[in-house]
Amino acid sequence: MDKMVMNTKKNLVVKTNQLNQALQTLSLAEVRIIQLAIVDARETATGLSTDKPLRIDATRYAEVFETTRQNGYKRMKEAEETLFNRRFTYLDDNGKPIKSRWLQQVQYHDGEGAIEIVFTLAVVEGISRINGLEQFFTSYLLEQTTQFDSVYSVRLYELLTQWRTAKKTPCFEIGVFRDQMGLGINEYKAMCDFKKRVLDLATDEINKKSDLKVKYENVKKGRKIVGFVFTVHEKPKAKRDVVNKERDVSTGDMFTVDGLNDKQLGRIARNPAFMAEYNHLVSPTSPAGQSQQGWEFEMVNRLKKDPTQFNKRPIREYLEY
């Protein structure tokens, strides 16, 4: 991050600031490609390398960002094409500029609905050195940003999540903050436009769709706003009702969906094994038999209303596929 924001790690900032700024100028779809690739590389123990491709399947993209497989593949290809052509400049350890791309290689697998990408050396070596981003590229934080419709929300969440322990940020000076939000010099120059189109939009979406509750205060010099200070709080986790009764594992009660959220239930409904075992529950002419969204909507509602009808195996087994 910038020296003003992360002044306790000046050396780290000097080395990585340009790469971080490059990340902040990407589109929402491009950020999602990078997030997904890095998260999956970590969770599968594949790791980041300059010679081993990272595979991203349309099914995985659709599952995480809640869209259809076909649309997921389309979005992936569109984002990759623009990302492949993006360049940025960063400084080496001696302060000399180096030009780089994000990706050095891409391969499409149209028949399989997947792409394989290889990051450049600058990204592989630099991404984990940016303070805060190593934590940002985790499945937990990925889940917190998948519902965002604005790239500004993702960028602001990335900045603020680092301060969830401290609960308050230092002053984000307006010029630096605009750069961190990925704004060009002529974008939303008027403060009223910046607040309406960027700042308020992002804070509202974070408050509605993530695990954080944030608000900001103006920092003024005279009558002029020169920056913002944010308070950052984690939302209290919902308490689950505890049912104090013994459950007979020989009955349908073993297939309860207690503790599973709608997103997990949606994943279960999309499991090919689940679909094969329960497709007899809907007719081909019903809305649930006409589209993936219709099927998922119907199955999630049925699971929540009466999980005992899904008794071919413990329902949580469908989460793994």
Side-chain angles (χ1 to χ4, degrees), residues 63-307:
E63 170 195 312
V64 173
F65 300 113
E66 299 187 354
T67 186
T68 64
R69 182 175 179 275
Q70 181 179 8
N71 191 53
Y73 188 53
K74 180 181 178 182
R75 294 287 174 254
M76 280 167 41
K77 289 189 69 172
E78 290 174 350
E80 173 280 319
E81 287 174 2
T82 55
L83 184 61
F84 185 72
N85 291 314
R86 285 194 184 270
R87 302 182 182 187
F88 61 92
T89 302
Y90 69 101
L91 303 181
D92 65 13
D93 292 342
N94 297 315
K96 295 182 178 180
I98 299 176
K99 292 182 179 180
S100 178
R101 295 178 183 266
W102 281 95
L103 304 179
Q104 62 165 307
Q105 178 180 312
V106 176
Q107 184 176 17
Y108 297 103
H109 299 278
D110 289 315
E112 302 171 28
I115 63 173
E116 289 186 344
I117 63 175
V118 180
F119 287 118
T120 60
L121 179 64
V123 176
V124 170
E125 290 189 344
I127 202 74
S128 63
R129 296 165 64 189
I130 303 175
N131 189 65
L133 288 195
E134 186 169 359
Q135 292 79 12
F136 184 63
F137 288 113
T138 65
S139 58
Y140 171 71
L141 292 184
L142 175 62
E143 181 178 336
Q144 294 301 326
T145 62
T146 56
Q147 299 297 312
F148 292 163
D149 296 317
S150 170
V151 70
Y152 301 131
S153 304
V154 178
R155 290 169 182 157
L156 185 60
Y157 185 95
E158 173 202 334
L159 291 172
L160 298 183
T161 192
Q162 302 172 63
W163 300 94
R164 62 173 67 218
T165 300
K167 302 190 185 313
K168 192 170 186 177
T169 72
C171 175
F172 287 5
E173 186 272 323
I174 186 64
V176 173
F177 185 45
R178 283 178 55 87
D179 288 342
Q180 291 173 322
M181 296 299 284
L183 294 176
I185 192 170
N186 292 318
E187 290 186 276
Y188 307 125
K189 295 173 67 174
M191 182 58 69
C192 60
D193 290 336
F194 173 74
K195 284 189 174 183
K196 180 180 180 180
R197 304 293 184 183
V198 179
L199 188 52
D200 291 339
L201 182 154
T203 53
D204 287 348
E205 194 162 40
I206 288 172
N207 288 335
K208 290 177 181 177
K209 300 178 180 180
S210 82
D211 60 334
L212 296 182
K213 188 73 174 178
V214 304
K215 65 179 180 178
Y216 67 88
E217 297 177 3
N218 300 329
V219 176
K220 292 185 176 182
K221 182 176 289 186
R223 299 176 60 183
K224 182 180 179 180
I225 296 175
V226 297
F228 304 95
V229 170
F230 292 82
T231 54
V232 184
H233 295 282
E234 292 185 87
K235 293 177 183 175
K237 294 180 175 58
K239 295 182 179 180
R240 295 173 183 163
D241 293 332
V242 179
V243 180
N244 296 316
K245 66 176 182 178
E246 292 186 13
R247 295 187 171 184
D248 183 352
V249 296
S250 66
T251 70
D253 194 41
M254 69 179 290
F255 303 102
T256 179
V257 293
D258 287 350
L260 293 172
N261 59 35
D262 282 4
K263 189 169 183 178
Q264 291 171 310
L265 294 177
R267 176 177 172 82
I268 288 170
R270 294 191 297 271
N271 186 320
F274 179 93
M275 296 173 72
E277 291 173 357
Y278 295 110
N279 61 8
H280 65 279
L281 295 178
V282 300
S283 68
T285 57
S286 72
Q290 295 293 310
S291 69
Q292 179 178 327
Q293 295 98 321
W295 165 268
E296 185 176 330
F297 180 80
E298 176 72 16
M299 290 302 107
V300 169
N301 283 337
R302 290 195 184 201
L303 281 162
K304 292 164 71 173
K305 185 177 180 179
D306 181 18

